[in-house]
Coordinates of all heavy atoms in Angstrom, one line a residue:
L1091 N 124.3 80.1 91.9 CA 123.8 80.6 90.6 C 123.8 82.1 90.7 O 123.1 82.7 91.6 CB 122.4 80.0 90.4 CG 121.8 80.4 89.0 CD1 122.5 79.9 87.9 CD2 120.3 80.0 89.0
E1092 N 124.5 82.8 89.8 CA 124.7 84.2 90.0 C 125.0 84.9 88.7 O 125.6 84.2 87.8 CB 125.7 84.5 91.0 CG 125.8 86.0 91.4 CD 124.5 86.6 91.9 OE1 124.3 86.5 93.1 OE2 123.8 87.1 91.1
F1093 N 124.6 86.1 88.5 CA 125.0 86.9 87.3 C 126.5 87.0 87.4 O 127.1 87.1 88.4 CB 124.4 88.3 87.4 CG 122.9 88.3 87.2 CD1 122.0 88.5 88.2 CD2 122.4 88.0 85.9 CE1 120.7 88.5 88.0 CE2 121.0 88.0 85.7 CZ 120.1 88.2 86.8
S1094 N 127.1 87.0 86.2 CA 128.6 87.0 86.1 C 129.1 87.9 85.0 O 128.4 88.8 84.6 CB 129.1 85.5 86.1 OG 130.4 85.4 86.4
K1095 N 130.3 87.6 84.6 CA 131.0 88.5 83.6 C 130.6 87.9 82.2 O 130.9 86.8 81.8 CB 132.5 88.4 83.7 CG 133.2 89.4 82.9 CD 134.7 89.5 83.3 CE 135.4 90.5 82.3 NZ 134.9 91.8 82.4
V1096 N 129.9 88.8 81.5 CA 129.4 88.4 80.1 C 130.5 88.3 79.1 O 131.6 89.1 79.3 CB 128.3 89.4 79.7 CG1 128.9 90.8 79.3 CG2 127.4 88.9 78.6
A1097 N 130.3 87.5 78.1 CA 131.3 87.4 77.0 C 131.5 88.8 76.3 O 130.6 89.5 76.1 CB 130.9 86.4 76.0
K1098 N 132.7 89.1 75.9 CA 133.0 90.4 75.4 C 132.2 90.9 74.2 O 131.7 92.0 74.2 CB 134.5 90.5 74.9 CG 135.5 90.7 76.1 CD 136.8 91.3 75.6 CE 137.6 91.8 76.8 NZ 137.0 93.0 77.4
P1099 N 131.8 89.9 73.3 CA 131.0 90.4 72.2 C 129.6 90.9 72.6 O 128.9 91.6 71.9 CB 130.8 89.2 71.3 CG 132.0 88.4 71.6 CD 132.3 88.6 73.0
L1100 N 129.2 90.5 73.8 CA 127.9 90.9 74.3 C 127.9 92.1 75.2 O 126.8 92.6 75.6 CB 127.2 89.7 75.0 CG 127.0 88.4 74.3 CD1 126.4 87.3 75.2 CD2 126.0 88.7 73.1
E1101 N 129.1 92.6 75.5 CA 129.2 93.6 76.6 C 128.4 94.9 76.3 O 127.7 95.4 77.2 CB 130.7 94.0 76.8 CG 131.4 92.9 77.6 CD 132.9 93.3 77.9 OE1 133.4 94.3 77.2 OE2 133.5 92.7 78.7
K1102 N 128.5 95.4 75.1 CA 127.8 96.7 74.8 C 126.3 96.6 74.8 O 125.7 97.5 75.5 CB 128.3 97.3 73.4 CG 129.8 97.8 73.4 CD 130.1 98.4 72.1 CE 131.5 99.0 72.1 NZ 131.9 99.7 70.8
I1103 N 125.8 95.6 74.2 CA 124.3 95.5 74.3 C 123.8 95.1 75.6 O 122.7 95.6 76.1 CB 123.9 94.4 73.2 CG1 122.3 94.6 73.0 CG2 124.3 93.0 73.6 CD1 121.8 93.8 71.8
Y1104 N 124.6 94.4 76.4 CA 124.2 94.0 77.8 C 124.2 95.3 78.6 O 123.4 95.4 79.5 CB 125.2 93.0 78.3 CG 124.8 92.4 79.6 CD1 123.5 91.9 79.8 CD2 125.7 92.3 80.6 CE1 123.2 91.3 81.1 CE2 125.4 91.8 81.9 CZ 124.1 91.3 82.1 OH 123.7 90.8 83.3
D1105 N 125.2 96.1 78.5 CA 125.3 97.4 79.2 C 124.1 98.3 78.9 O 123.5 98.9 79.8 CB 126.6 98.1 79.0 CG 127.8 97.5 79.7 OD1 127.6 96.7 80.6 OD2 128.9 97.9 79.4
W1106 N 123.8 98.4 77.6 CA 122.7 99.2 77.2 C 121.4 98.6 77.8 O 120.6 99.4 78.3 CB 122.6 99.2 75.6 CG 121.3 99.7 75.1 CD1 121.0 101.1 74.9 CD2 120.1 99.0 74.7 NE1 119.7 101.3 74.5 CE2 119.1 100.0 74.3 CE3 119.8 97.7 74.6 CZ2 117.9 99.6 73.9 CZ3 118.5 97.3 74.3 CH2 117.5 98.3 73.8
Y1107 N 121.2 97.4 77.8 CA 120.0 96.7 78.3 C 119.9 97.0 79.8 O 118.9 97.3 80.4 CB 119.9 95.3 78.0 CG 118.8 94.6 78.7 CD1 117.5 94.6 78.2 CD2 119.0 93.8 79.9 CE1 116.4 94.0 78.7 CE2 117.9 93.2 80.5 CZ 116.6 93.3 79.9 OH 115.6 92.7 80.5
S1108 N 121.1 96.8 80.5 CA 121.1 96.9 82.0 C 120.8 98.3 82.5 O 120.1 98.5 83.5 CB 122.5 96.4 82.5 OG 122.7 95.1 82.2
F1109 N 121.4 99.3 81.8 CA 121.3 100.7 82.4 C 120.3 101.6 81.6 O 120.0 102.6 82.2 CB 122.7 101.3 82.3 CG 123.7 100.6 83.2 CD1 124.7 99.8 82.7 CD2 123.6 100.7 84.6 CE1 125.6 99.1 83.5 CE2 124.4 100.1 85.4 CZ 125.5 99.3 84.8
K1110 N 119.7 101.1 80.6 CA 118.7 101.9 79.9 C 117.3 101.2 79.9 O 116.4 101.8 80.3 CB 119.1 102.1 78.4 CG 120.4 102.9 78.2 CD 120.2 104.3 78.7 CE 121.5 105.1 78.3 NZ 121.5 106.5 78.9
V1111 N 117.3 99.9 79.6 CA 116.0 99.3 79.5 C 115.5 98.8 80.9 O 114.4 99.0 81.3 CB 116.1 98.0 78.6 CG1 114.8 97.3 78.6 CG2 116.5 98.5 77.2
L1112 N 116.5 98.2 81.7 CA 116.1 97.6 82.9 C 115.4 98.6 83.9 O 114.3 98.3 84.5 CB 117.3 96.9 83.6 CG 117.0 96.0 84.8 CD1 116.0 95.0 84.5 CD2 118.3 95.4 85.3
P1113 N 116.0 99.8 84.2 CA 115.4 100.7 85.0 C 114.0 101.2 84.6 O 113.1 101.5 85.4 CB 116.3 101.9 85.1 CG 117.7 101.3 84.8 CD 117.4 100.3 83.7
Q1114 N 113.8 101.3 83.2 CA 112.5 101.6 82.7 C 111.5 100.5 83.0 O 110.3 100.8 83.3 CB 112.6 102.0 81.2 CG 113.4 103.2 81.0 CD 112.8 104.5 81.7 OE1 111.6 104.7 81.8 NE2 113.7 105.2 82.4
L1115 N 111.9 99.3 82.8 CA 111.0 98.2 83.2 C 110.6 98.2 84.6 O 109.5 98.0 85.0 CB 111.7 96.8 82.9 CG 111.6 96.1 81.5 CD1 112.4 94.9 81.5 CD2 110.1 95.9 81.2
G1116 N 111.6 98.6 85.5 CA 111.3 98.7 86.9 C 110.4 99.8 87.2 O 109.5 99.7 88.1
R1117 N 110.5 100.9 86.5 CA 109.5 102.0 86.6 C 108.1 101.6 86.2 O 107.2 101.9 86.9 CB 110.0 103.2 85.8 CG 109.2 104.5 86.0 CD 109.7 105.6 85.2 NE 109.7 105.3 83.7 CZ 108.7 105.5 82.9 NH1 107.5 105.9 83.4 NH2 108.7 105.2 81.6
L1118 N 108.0 101.0 85.0 CA 106.7 100.7 84.4 C 106.0 99.6 85.2 O 104.8 99.7 85.4 CB 106.8 100.4 83.0 CG 107.3 101.5 82.0 CD1 107.6 100.9 80.7 CD2 106.2 102.6 81.9
V1119 N 106.7 98.6 85.6 CA 106.1 97.4 86.2 C 106.1 97.4 87.7 O 105.1 97.1 88.3 CB 106.8 96.1 85.7 CG1 106.2 94.8 86.3 CG2 106.7 96.0 84.2
A1120 N 107.2 97.8 88.3 CA 107.3 97.8 89.8 C 107.2 99.2 90.4 O 107.2 99.3 91.6 CB 108.6 97.1 90.2
G1121 N 107.2 100.2 89.6 CA 107.2 101.6 90.1 C 108.4 101.9 90.8 O 108.4 102.8 91.8
D1122 N 109.5 101.3 90.5 CA 110.8 101.5 91.3 C 112.0 101.4 90.4 O 112.7 100.4 90.4 CB 110.8 100.5 92.4 CG 111.9 100.7 93.4 OD1 112.7 101.6 93.2 OD2 112.1 99.9 94.3
P1123 N 112.3 102.4 89.6 CA 113.5 102.3 88.7 C 114.8 102.3 89.5 O 115.8 101.6 89.1 CB 113.4 103.6 87.9 CG 112.6 104.6 88.7 CD 111.6 103.7 89.4
A1124 N 114.9 102.9 90.7 CA 116.1 103.0 91.4 C 116.6 101.6 91.9 O 117.8 101.3 91.8 CB 116.0 103.9 92.7

């Protein structure tokens, strides 16, 4: 079970979430955006 290649219509929003939202969640909740 692993993250994989997302369907093309979802690529842009998935990239935005992964590289903009996810590190900020990591900073706020875990104190570790990196």
Side-chain angles (χ1 to χ4, degrees):
L1091 180 66
E1092 187 55 90
F1093 293 107
S1094 199
K1095 188 171 178 60
V1096 72
K1098 277 200 170 294
L1100 299 176
E1101 282 181 348
K1102 286 187 178 180
I1103 191 168
Y1104 187 52
D1105 283 346
W1106 170 80
Y1107 176 78
S1108 297
F1109 295 107
K1110 298 296 185 183
V1111 177
L1112 189 55
Q1114 291 307 311
L1115 269 179
R1117 180 179 65 82
L1118 292 170
V1119 178
D1122 186 359

